[in-house]
């Protein structure tokens, strides 16, 4: 997961803003649901961007360099 820590940081910031907004204005389910959906989407995109690496592809890369 290439951007895992960045995504965690973004979601943590959004959750902190949600807590502050909840403290001032009361609980809003849709904002919390939006944060959860955004987090799931970002982790899904990060997983899809990840290039699969197999043992065979590593061997091929090593042999191509020689």
């Amino acid at each position: 997961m290439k951007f895992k820590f960045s995504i965690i940081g973004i979601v943590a910031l959004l959750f902190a803003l949600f807590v502050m907004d909840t403290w001032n204005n009361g609980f809003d389910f849709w904002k919390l649901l939006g944060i959860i959906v955004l987090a799931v989407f970002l982790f899904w995109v990060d997983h899809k961007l990840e290039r699969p690496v197999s043992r065979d592809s590593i061997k091929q890369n090593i042999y191509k360099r020689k």
Side-chain angles (χ1 to χ4, degrees), residues 24-56:
N24 293 331
N25 302 325
F27 182 75
D28 187 8
F29 174 74
W30 297 109
K31 288 181 184 178
L32 180 61
L33 184 64
I35 292 171
I36 293 170
V37 167
L38 180 67
V40 168
F41 175 73
L42 289 175
F43 276 112
W44 178 78
V45 167
D46 185 43
H47 180 71
K48 289 297 177 184
L49 289 176
E50 192 173 295
R51 186 177 67 171
V53 178
S54 66
R55 192 175 279 186
D56 293 330

Side-chain angles (χ1 to χ4, degrees), residues 4-23:
K4 179 173 74 169
F5 294 112
S6 300
I7 294 170
I8 290 171
I10 291 168
V11 171
L13 179 64
L14 287 174
F15 189 72
L17 291 172
F18 171 75
V19 169
M20 288 174 40
D21 185 62
T22 300
W23 188 269

